């Protein structure tokens, strides 16, 4: 059992940890945005390309929305823009006509490589002074936090 002082310290550390994750995620995405802006890409347009580049094709539109943690209608509007730019193709799933499958076009694949290069470049710069052991430890912690978040999403708030 934790003492009152330990409970308060843990509470402060949890708040600080959460605040840092939010701040770092924002800063990380902003830096990627800066690198991709010359290609005419914004956060809204590079993120779907990123996920399409790392997930096995073709992916259902609903699965892409889930991977990106956005609502399907919002993704639909983004995909309209990317489709008009010739970066993605959507096709109706032959097994479920209500479902769309999304994949990168040849031009989208080229953009996907640019996005991955930018993402990896940012990671390389931001993590340059961190040892392999520290990265391994941090990745393990993030995996545990991610598992807890996914379990909470499945069960709902307050479960």
């Amino acid at each position: 059992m934790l003492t009152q002082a330990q409970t308060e310290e843990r509470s402060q550390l949890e708040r600080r940890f959460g605040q840092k994750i939010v701040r770092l995620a924002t800063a990380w995405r902003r830096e990627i945005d800066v690198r991709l802006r010359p290609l005419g890409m914004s956060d809204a347009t590079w993120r779907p390309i990123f996920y399409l580049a790392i997930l096995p094709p073709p992916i259902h539109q609903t699965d892409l929305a889930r991977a990106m943690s956005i609502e399907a209608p919002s993704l639909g509007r983004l995909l309209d823009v990317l489709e008009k730019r010739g970066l993605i193709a959507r096709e109706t799933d032959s097994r479920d006509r209500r479902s769309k499958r999304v994949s990168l076009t040849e031009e989208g694949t080229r953009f996907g490589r640019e996005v991955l290069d930018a993402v990896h470049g940012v990671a390389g710069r931001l993590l340059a002074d961190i040892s392999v052991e520290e990265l391994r430890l941090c990745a393990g912690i993030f995996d545990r936090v991610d598992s807890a978040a996914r379990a909470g999403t499945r069960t709902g708030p307050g479960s």
Side-chain angles (χ1 to χ4, degrees), residues 120-143:
H120 295 142
V122 168
R125 189 185 83 68
L126 297 179
L127 302 174
D129 293 334
I130 299 173
S131 72
V132 171
E133 293 80 20
E134 289 170 314
L135 285 172
R136 193 177 293 122
L137 177 63
C138 190
I141 291 168
F142 283 168
D143 287 343

PDB file of all heavy atoms in Angstrom, residues 120-143:
ATOM      1  N   HIS A 120      10.884   9.485 -40.324  1.00  0.00           N
ATOM      2  CA  HIS A 120      12.123   8.884 -39.817  1.00  0.00           C
ATOM      3  C   HIS A 120      13.194   9.944 -39.561  1.00  0.00           C
ATOM      4  O   HIS A 120      13.967   9.830 -38.599  1.00  0.00           O
ATOM      5  CB  HIS A 120      12.629   7.817 -40.784  1.00  0.00           C
ATOM      6  CG  HIS A 120      11.690   6.656 -40.900  1.00  0.00           C
ATOM      7  ND1 HIS A 120      11.444   6.015 -42.075  1.00  0.00           N
ATOM      8  CD2 HIS A 120      10.902   6.047 -39.983  1.00  0.00           C
ATOM      9  CE1 HIS A 120      10.565   5.054 -41.884  1.00  0.00           C
ATOM     10  NE2 HIS A 120      10.212   5.056 -40.625  1.00  0.00           N
ATOM     11  N   GLY A 121      13.234  10.978 -40.381  1.00  0.00           N
ATOM     12  CA  GLY A 121      14.188  12.067 -40.164  1.00  0.00           C
ATOM     13  C   GLY A 121      13.926  12.800 -38.864  1.00  0.00           C
ATOM     14  O   GLY A 121      14.859  13.124 -38.120  1.00  0.00           O
ATOM     15  N   VAL A 122      12.661  13.058 -38.583  1.00  0.00           N
ATOM     16  CA  VAL A 122      12.297  13.718 -37.326  1.00  0.00           C
ATOM     17  C   VAL A 122      12.662  12.818 -36.149  1.00  0.00           C
ATOM     18  O   VAL A 122      13.255  13.276 -35.163  1.00  0.00           O
ATOM     19  CB  VAL A 122      10.800  14.097 -37.305  1.00  0.00           C
ATOM     20  CG1 VAL A 122      10.349  14.507 -35.914  1.00  0.00           C
ATOM     21  CG2 VAL A 122      10.522  15.212 -38.315  1.00  0.00           C
ATOM     22  N   ALA A 123      12.336  11.542 -36.245  1.00  0.00           N
ATOM     23  CA  ALA A 123      12.675  10.613 -35.165  1.00  0.00           C
ATOM     24  C   ALA A 123      14.191  10.583 -34.945  1.00  0.00           C
ATOM     25  O   ALA A 123      14.653  10.637 -33.802  1.00  0.00           O
ATOM     26  CB  ALA A 123      12.154   9.213 -35.491  1.00  0.00           C
ATOM     27  N   GLY A 124      14.951  10.522 -36.025  1.00  0.00           N
ATOM     28  CA  GLY A 124      16.399  10.501 -35.906  1.00  0.00           C
ATOM     29  C   GLY A 124      16.940  11.729 -35.203  1.00  0.00           C
ATOM     30  O   GLY A 124      17.828  11.643 -34.358  1.00  0.00           O
ATOM     31  N   ARG A 125      16.385  12.890 -35.543  1.00  0.00           N
ATOM     32  CA  ARG A 125      16.858  14.128 -34.921  1.00  0.00           C
ATOM     33  C   ARG A 125      16.469  14.202 -33.450  1.00  0.00           C
ATOM     34  O   ARG A 125      17.280  14.512 -32.586  1.00  0.00           O
ATOM     35  CB  ARG A 125      16.292  15.347 -35.660  1.00  0.00           C
ATOM     36  CG  ARG A 125      16.925  16.666 -35.183  1.00  0.00           C
ATOM     37  CD  ARG A 125      16.301  17.888 -35.815  1.00  0.00           C
ATOM     38  NE  ARG A 125      15.083  18.324 -35.165  1.00  0.00           N
ATOM     39  CZ  ARG A 125      14.998  18.835 -33.935  1.00  0.00           C
ATOM     40  NH1 ARG A 125      16.078  18.944 -33.187  1.00  0.00           N
ATOM     41  NH2 ARG A 125      13.846  19.221 -33.444  1.00  0.00           N
ATOM     42  N   LEU A 126      15.209  13.896 -33.147  1.00  0.00           N
ATOM     43  CA  LEU A 126      14.723  14.040 -31.779  1.00  0.00           C
ATOM     44  C   LEU A 126      15.272  12.974 -30.834  1.00  0.00           C
ATOM     45  O   LEU A 126      15.368  13.204 -29.629  1.00  0.00           O
ATOM     46  CB  LEU A 126      13.191  14.020 -31.758  1.00  0.00           C
ATOM     47  CG  LEU A 126      12.498  15.167 -32.496  1.00  0.00           C
ATOM     48  CD1 LEU A 126      10.988  15.005 -32.420  1.00  0.00           C
ATOM     49  CD2 LEU A 126      12.920  16.520 -31.945  1.00  0.00           C
ATOM     50  N   LEU A 127      15.636  11.826 -31.379  1.00  0.00           N
ATOM     51  CA  LEU A 127      16.092  10.722 -30.531  1.00  0.00           C
ATOM     52  C   LEU A 127      17.604  10.492 -30.590  1.00  0.00           C
ATOM     53  O   LEU A 127      18.108   9.524 -30.017  1.00  0.00           O
ATOM     54  CB  LEU A 127      15.358   9.434 -30.933  1.00  0.00           C
ATOM     55  CG  LEU A 127      13.826   9.500 -30.847  1.00  0.00           C
ATOM     56  CD1 LEU A 127      13.215   8.230 -31.416  1.00  0.00           C
ATOM     57  CD2 LEU A 127      13.367   9.746 -29.424  1.00  0.00           C
ATOM     58  N   ALA A 128      18.320  11.382 -31.247  1.00  0.00           N
ATOM     59  CA  ALA A 128      19.758  11.194 -31.483  1.00  0.00           C
ATOM     60  C   ALA A 128      20.563  10.983 -30.208  1.00  0.00           C
ATOM     61  O   ALA A 128      21.510  10.206 -30.200  1.00  0.00           O
ATOM     62  CB  ALA A 128      20.321  12.385 -32.267  1.00  0.00           C
ATOM     63  N   ASP A 129      20.204  11.641 -29.130  1.00  0.00           N
ATOM     64  CA  ASP A 129      21.000  11.559 -27.897  1.00  0.00           C
ATOM     65  C   ASP A 129      20.472  10.520 -26.917  1.00  0.00           C
ATOM     66  O   ASP A 129      20.865  10.515 -25.746  1.00  0.00           O
ATOM     67  CB  ASP A 129      21.033  12.931 -27.214  1.00  0.00           C
ATOM     68  CG  ASP A 129      21.800  13.961 -28.031  1.00  0.00           C
ATOM     69  OD1 ASP A 129      22.684  13.553 -28.808  1.00  0.00           O
ATOM     70  OD2 ASP A 129      21.497  15.155 -27.892  1.00  0.00           O
ATOM     71  N   ILE A 130      19.595   9.653 -27.380  1.00  0.00           N
ATOM     72  CA  ILE A 130      19.002   8.642 -26.502  1.00  0.00           C
ATOM     73  C   ILE A 130      19.583   7.277 -26.879  1.00  0.00           C
ATOM     74  O   ILE A 130      19.606   6.912 -28.059  1.00  0.00           O
ATOM     75  CB  ILE A 130      17.461   8.669 -26.617  1.00  0.00           C
ATOM     76  CG1 ILE A 130      16.962  10.059 -26.181  1.00  0.00           C
ATOM     77  CG2 ILE A 130      16.835   7.566 -25.776  1.00  0.00           C
ATOM     78  CD1 ILE A 130      15.505  10.294 -26.401  1.00  0.00           C
ATOM     79  N   SER A 131      20.045   6.543 -25.879  1.00  0.00           N
ATOM     80  CA  SER A 131      20.690   5.245 -26.132  1.00  0.00           C
ATOM     81  C   SER A 131      19.666   4.199 -26.569  1.00  0.00           C
ATOM     82  O   SER A 131      18.460   4.349 -26.339  1.00  0.00           O
ATOM     83  CB  SER A 131      21.411   4.756 -24.873  1.00  0.00           C
ATOM     84  OG  SER A 131      20.459   4.336 -23.900  1.00  0.00           O
ATOM     85  N   VAL A 132      20.170   3.127 -27.145  1.00  0.00           N
ATOM     86  CA  VAL A 132      19.320   2.009 -27.550  1.00  0.00           C
ATOM     87  C   VAL A 132      18.595   1.434 -26.334  1.00  0.00           C
ATOM     88  O   VAL A 132      17.402   1.116 -26.404  1.00  0.00           O
ATOM     89  CB  VAL A 132      20.146   0.922 -28.272  1.00  0.00           C
ATOM     90  CG1 VAL A 132      19.328  -0.342 -28.500  1.00  0.00           C
ATOM     91  CG2 VAL A 132      20.688   1.445 -29.593  1.00  0.00           C
ATOM     92  N   GLU A 133      19.284   1.316 -25.226  1.00  0.00           N
ATOM     93  CA  GLU A 133      18.671   0.780 -24.010  1.00  0.00           C
ATOM     94  C   GLU A 133      17.518   1.676 -23.542  1.00  0.00           C
ATOM     95  O   GLU A 133      16.459   1.186 -23.143  1.00  0.00           O
ATOM     96  CB  GLU A 133      19.709   0.629 -22.886  1.00  0.00           C
ATOM     97  CG  GLU A 133      20.765  -0.415 -23.156  1.00  0.00           C
ATOM     98  CD  GLU A 133      21.886   0.066 -24.096  1.00  0.00           C
ATOM     99  OE1 GLU A 133      22.079   1.293 -24.256  1.00  0.00           O
ATOM    100  OE2 GLU A 133      22.559  -0.793 -24.679  1.00  0.00           O
ATOM    101  N   GLU A 134      17.738   2.996 -23.573  1.00  0.00           N
ATOM    102  CA  GLU A 134      16.684   3.929 -23.167  1.00  0.00           C
ATOM    103  C   GLU A 134      15.496   3.855 -24.124  1.00  0.00           C
ATOM    104  O   GLU A 134      14.346   3.896 -23.688  1.00  0.00           O
ATOM    105  CB  GLU A 134      17.234   5.360 -23.122  1.00  0.00           C
ATOM    106  CG  GLU A 134      18.198   5.595 -21.981  1.00  0.00           C
ATOM    107  CD  GLU A 134      18.905   6.937 -22.091  1.00  0.00           C
ATOM    108  OE1 GLU A 134      19.384   7.291 -23.203  1.00  0.00           O
ATOM    109  OE2 GLU A 134      18.977   7.633 -21.060  1.00  0.00           O
ATOM    110  N   LEU A 135      15.784   3.751 -25.416  1.00  0.00           N
ATOM    111  CA  LEU A 135      14.700   3.630 -26.399  1.00  0.00           C
ATOM    112  C   LEU A 135      13.914   2.347 -26.180  1.00  0.00           C
ATOM    113  O   LEU A 135      12.676   2.342 -26.256  1.00  0.00           O
ATOM    114  CB  LEU A 135      15.251   3.667 -27.823  1.00  0.00           C
ATOM    115  CG  LEU A 135      15.691   5.026 -28.336  1.00  0.00           C
ATOM    116  CD1 LEU A 135      16.400   4.884 -29.685  1.00  0.00           C
ATOM    117  CD2 LEU A 135      14.502   5.968 -28.457  1.00  0.00           C
ATOM    118  N   ARG A 136      14.612   1.266 -25.922  1.00  0.00           N
ATOM    119  CA  ARG A 136      13.955  -0.028 -25.672  1.00  0.00           C
ATOM    120  C   ARG A 136      13.046   0.075 -24.449  1.00  0.00           C
ATOM    121  O   ARG A 136      11.893  -0.367 -24.479  1.00  0.00           O
ATOM    122  CB  ARG A 136      15.010  -1.107 -25.482  1.00  0.00           C
ATOM    123  CG  ARG A 136      14.465  -2.514 -25.539  1.00  0.00           C
ATOM    124  CD  ARG A 136      15.552  -3.586 -25.423  1.00  0.00           C
ATOM    125  NE  ARG A 136      16.412  -3.557 -26.600  1.00  0.00           N
ATOM    126  CZ  ARG A 136      17.736  -3.366 -26.555  1.00  0.00           C
ATOM    127  NH1 ARG A 136      18.351  -3.183 -25.406  1.00  0.00           N
ATOM    128  NH2 ARG A 136      18.450  -3.355 -27.654  1.00  0.00           N
ATOM    129  N   LEU A 137      13.543   0.678 -23.371  1.00  0.00           N
ATOM    130  CA  LEU A 137      12.762   0.842 -22.145  1.00  0.00           C
ATOM    131  C   LEU A 137      11.530   1.719 -22.415  1.00  0.00           C
ATOM    132  O   LEU A 137      10.411   1.372 -22.028  1.00  0.00           O
ATOM    133  CB  LEU A 137      13.622   1.456 -21.041  1.00  0.00           C
ATOM    134  CG  LEU A 137      12.920   1.757 -19.714  1.00  0.00           C
ATOM    135  CD1 LEU A 137      12.415   0.476 -19.066  1.00  0.00           C
ATOM    136  CD2 LEU A 137      13.869   2.500 -18.783  1.00  0.00           C
ATOM    137  N   CYS A 138      11.747   2.826 -23.076  1.00  0.00           N
ATOM    138  CA  CYS A 138      10.651   3.750 -23.375  1.00  0.00           C
ATOM    139  C   CYS A 138       9.611   3.091 -24.284  1.00  0.00           C
ATOM    140  O   CYS A 138       8.406   3.216 -24.050  1.00  0.00           O
ATOM    141  CB  CYS A 138      11.210   5.019 -24.017  1.00  0.00           C
ATOM    142  SG  CYS A 138      10.010   6.341 -24.164  1.00  0.00           S
ATOM    143  N   ALA A 139      10.073   2.366 -25.305  1.00  0.00           N
ATOM    144  CA  ALA A 139       9.146   1.683 -26.213  1.00  0.00           C
ATOM    145  C   ALA A 139       8.310   0.655 -25.452  1.00  0.00           C
ATOM    146  O   ALA A 139       7.100   0.522 -25.696  1.00  0.00           O
ATOM    147  CB  ALA A 139       9.910   1.021 -27.359  1.00  0.00           C
ATOM    148  N   GLY A 140       8.936  -0.037 -24.506  1.00  0.00           N
ATOM    149  CA  GLY A 140       8.197  -1.004 -23.695  1.00  0.00           C
ATOM    150  C   GLY A 140       7.133  -0.331 -22.842  1.00  0.00           C
ATOM    151  O   GLY A 140       6.015  -0.835 -22.712  1.00  0.00           O
ATOM    152  N   ILE A 141       7.473   0.801 -22.274  1.00  0.00           N
ATOM    153  CA  ILE A 141       6.503   1.558 -21.470  1.00  0.00           C
ATOM    154  C   ILE A 141       5.367   2.045 -22.359  1.00  0.00           C
ATOM    155  O   ILE A 141       4.187   1.906 -22.013  1.00  0.00           O
ATOM    156  CB  ILE A 141       7.193   2.718 -20.732  1.00  0.00           C
ATOM    157  CG1 ILE A 141       8.118   2.168 -19.648  1.00  0.00           C
ATOM    158  CG2 ILE A 141       6.159   3.681 -20.130  1.00  0.00           C
ATOM    159  CD1 ILE A 141       9.068   3.190 -19.047  1.00  0.00           C
ATOM    160  N   PHE A 142       5.698   2.596 -23.516  1.00  0.00           N
ATOM    161  CA  PHE A 142       4.654   3.061 -24.438  1.00  0.00           C
ATOM    162  C   PHE A 142       3.755   1.904 -24.866  1.00  0.00           C
ATOM    163  O   PHE A 142       2.537   2.077 -24.999  1.00  0.00           O
ATOM    164  CB  PHE A 142       5.260   3.738 -25.657  1.00  0.00           C
ATOM    165  CG  PHE A 142       5.755   5.139 -25.409  1.00  0.00           C
ATOM    166  CD1 PHE A 142       6.534   5.773 -26.350  1.00  0.00           C
ATOM    167  CD2 PHE A 142       5.447   5.827 -24.247  1.00  0.00           C
ATOM    168  CE1 PHE A 142       6.990   7.070 -26.149  1.00  0.00           C
ATOM    169  CE2 PHE A 142       5.896   7.116 -24.029  1.00  0.00           C
ATOM    170  CZ  PHE A 142       6.673   7.738 -24.977  1.00  0.00           C
ATOM    171  N   ASP A 143       4.330   0.723 -25.093  1.00  0.00           N
ATOM    172  CA  ASP A 143       3.517  -0.443 -25.458  1.00  0.00           C
ATOM    173  C   ASP A 143       2.517  -0.773 -24.359  1.00  0.00           C
ATOM    174  O   ASP A 143       1.347  -1.074 -24.641  1.00  0.00           O
ATOM    175  CB  ASP A 143       4.402  -1.667 -25.733  1.00  0.00           C
ATOM    176  CG  ASP A 143       5.158  -1.572 -27.038  1.00  0.00           C
ATOM    177  OD1 ASP A 143       4.796  -0.738 -27.907  1.00  0.00           O
ATOM    178  OD2 ASP A 143       6.138  -2.344 -27.200  1.00  0.00           O
TER     179      ASP A 143
END
